Short mmCIF file of all heavy atoms in Angstrom, two decimals:
data_model
loop_
_atom_site.label_atom_id
_atom_site.label_comp_id
_atom_site.label_asym_id
_atom_site.label_seq_id
_atom_site.Cartn_x
_atom_site.Cartn_y
_atom_site.Cartn_z
N ARG J 350 16.69 -11.43 -15.34
CA ARG J 350 15.70 -12.48 -15.07
C ARG J 350 16.35 -13.65 -14.35
O ARG J 350 17.57 -13.85 -14.46
CB ARG J 350 15.13 -13.00 -16.38
CG ARG J 350 14.25 -12.03 -17.14
CD ARG J 350 13.57 -12.82 -18.27
NE ARG J 350 12.70 -11.98 -19.07
CZ ARG J 350 13.09 -11.27 -20.13
NH1 ARG J 350 14.35 -11.29 -20.50
NH2 ARG J 350 12.23 -10.55 -20.80
N PRO J 351 15.56 -14.45 -13.66
CA PRO J 351 16.11 -15.68 -13.07
C PRO J 351 16.64 -16.59 -14.19
O PRO J 351 16.16 -16.53 -15.33
CB PRO J 351 14.89 -16.32 -12.39
CG PRO J 351 13.87 -15.25 -12.26
CD PRO J 351 14.11 -14.29 -13.39
N ASP J 352 17.59 -17.43 -13.85
CA ASP J 352 18.18 -18.36 -14.84
C ASP J 352 17.08 -19.17 -15.52
O ASP J 352 16.14 -19.62 -14.87
CB ASP J 352 19.15 -19.32 -14.14
CG ASP J 352 20.40 -18.57 -13.68
OD1 ASP J 352 20.62 -17.44 -14.16
OD2 ASP J 352 21.11 -19.12 -12.81
N GLY J 353 17.25 -19.35 -16.81
CA GLY J 353 16.34 -20.23 -17.53
C GLY J 353 15.09 -19.53 -18.06
O GLY J 353 14.29 -20.14 -18.75
N LEU J 354 14.92 -18.26 -17.74
CA LEU J 354 13.74 -17.53 -18.23
C LEU J 354 14.22 -16.43 -19.16
O LEU J 354 14.95 -15.54 -18.74
CB LEU J 354 12.94 -16.95 -17.06
CG LEU J 354 12.29 -17.97 -16.12
CD1 LEU J 354 11.78 -17.28 -14.86
CD2 LEU J 354 11.14 -18.69 -16.81
N ASP J 355 13.84 -16.52 -20.43
CA ASP J 355 14.31 -15.47 -21.35
C ASP J 355 13.17 -14.62 -21.90
O ASP J 355 13.36 -13.77 -22.75
CB ASP J 355 15.14 -16.08 -22.49
CG ASP J 355 14.39 -17.19 -23.19
OD1 ASP J 355 13.18 -17.36 -22.91
OD2 ASP J 355 15.02 -17.90 -24.00
N LYS J 356 11.96 -14.85 -21.38
CA LYS J 356 10.79 -14.09 -21.82
C LYS J 356 9.89 -13.91 -20.61
O LYS J 356 9.88 -14.74 -19.70
CB LYS J 356 10.07 -14.90 -22.91
CG LYS J 356 9.35 -14.06 -23.91
CD LYS J 356 8.80 -14.89 -25.07
CE LYS J 356 7.93 -16.03 -24.56
NZ LYS J 356 7.27 -16.80 -25.58
N GLY J 357 9.11 -12.85 -20.61
CA GLY J 357 8.22 -12.61 -19.47
C GLY J 357 8.87 -11.66 -18.49
O GLY J 357 10.10 -11.56 -18.41
N PHE J 358 8.03 -10.99 -17.69
CA PHE J 358 8.53 -9.94 -16.81
C PHE J 358 8.91 -10.52 -15.44
O PHE J 358 8.41 -10.11 -14.40
CB PHE J 358 7.49 -8.83 -16.69
CG PHE J 358 7.00 -8.34 -18.05
CD1 PHE J 358 5.66 -8.28 -18.34
CD2 PHE J 358 7.93 -7.98 -19.03
CE1 PHE J 358 5.21 -7.84 -19.59
CE2 PHE J 358 7.50 -7.53 -20.29
CZ PHE J 358 6.14 -7.48 -20.57
N PHE J 359 9.81 -11.51 -15.49
CA PHE J 359 10.22 -12.21 -14.27
C PHE J 359 11.41 -11.52 -13.61
O PHE J 359 12.36 -11.13 -14.29
CB PHE J 359 10.59 -13.66 -14.60
CG PHE J 359 9.44 -14.47 -15.12
CD1 PHE J 359 9.27 -14.67 -16.48
CD2 PHE J 359 8.51 -15.02 -14.23
CE1 PHE J 359 8.20 -15.42 -16.96
CE2 PHE J 359 7.44 -15.77 -14.71
CZ PHE J 359 7.28 -15.97 -16.08
N VAL J 360 11.34 -11.41 -12.31
CA VAL J 360 12.38 -10.73 -11.53
C VAL J 360 12.96 -11.74 -10.53
O VAL J 360 12.24 -12.61 -10.05
CB VAL J 360 11.77 -9.53 -10.76
CG1 VAL J 360 12.80 -8.86 -9.86
CG2 VAL J 360 11.19 -8.51 -11.74
N ARG J 361 14.25 -11.63 -10.23
CA ARG J 361 14.86 -12.53 -9.24
C ARG J 361 14.48 -12.08 -7.83
O ARG J 361 14.57 -10.89 -7.52
CB ARG J 361 16.38 -12.50 -9.40
CG ARG J 361 16.83 -12.97 -10.79
CD ARG J 361 18.29 -12.66 -11.02
NE ARG J 361 19.15 -13.52 -10.21
CZ ARG J 361 20.47 -13.35 -10.09
NH1 ARG J 361 21.06 -12.34 -10.70
NH2 ARG J 361 21.17 -14.16 -9.35
N PRO J 362 14.08 -13.02 -6.99
CA PRO J 362 13.82 -12.64 -5.59
C PRO J 362 15.10 -12.06 -5.01
O PRO J 362 16.13 -12.73 -4.98
CB PRO J 362 13.45 -13.97 -4.92
CG PRO J 362 13.02 -14.86 -6.05
CD PRO J 362 13.82 -14.43 -7.24
N THR J 363 15.03 -10.81 -4.61
CA THR J 363 16.25 -10.06 -4.30
C THR J 363 16.24 -9.54 -2.86
O THR J 363 15.21 -9.08 -2.37
CB THR J 363 16.41 -8.90 -5.32
OG1 THR J 363 16.59 -9.48 -6.62
CG2 THR J 363 17.57 -7.99 -4.99
N ILE J 364 17.41 -9.64 -2.23
CA ILE J 364 17.56 -9.13 -0.87
C ILE J 364 18.79 -8.24 -0.78
O ILE J 364 19.86 -8.60 -1.27
CB ILE J 364 17.69 -10.28 0.15
CG1 ILE J 364 16.48 -11.21 0.07
CG2 ILE J 364 17.85 -9.74 1.56
CD1 ILE J 364 16.53 -12.35 1.04
N PHE J 365 18.61 -7.11 -0.14
CA PHE J 365 19.73 -6.24 0.20
C PHE J 365 19.89 -6.18 1.72
O PHE J 365 18.90 -6.29 2.44
CB PHE J 365 19.47 -4.80 -0.28
CG PHE J 365 19.63 -4.59 -1.76
CD1 PHE J 365 18.53 -4.33 -2.56
CD2 PHE J 365 20.90 -4.62 -2.33
CE1 PHE J 365 18.68 -4.13 -3.92
CE2 PHE J 365 21.05 -4.40 -3.71
CZ PHE J 365 19.95 -4.16 -4.50
N ALA J 366 21.13 -5.99 2.17
CA ALA J 366 21.35 -5.58 3.55
C ALA J 366 21.84 -4.14 3.46
O ALA J 366 22.77 -3.85 2.69
CB ALA J 366 22.39 -6.46 4.22
#
Side-chain angles (χ1 to χ4, degrees):
R350 291 191 180 88
D352 291 343
L354 295 168
D355 53 10
K356 210 173 54 174
F358 309 128
F359 296 98
V360 176
R361 299 168 71 189
T363 296
I364 302 181
F365 284 111

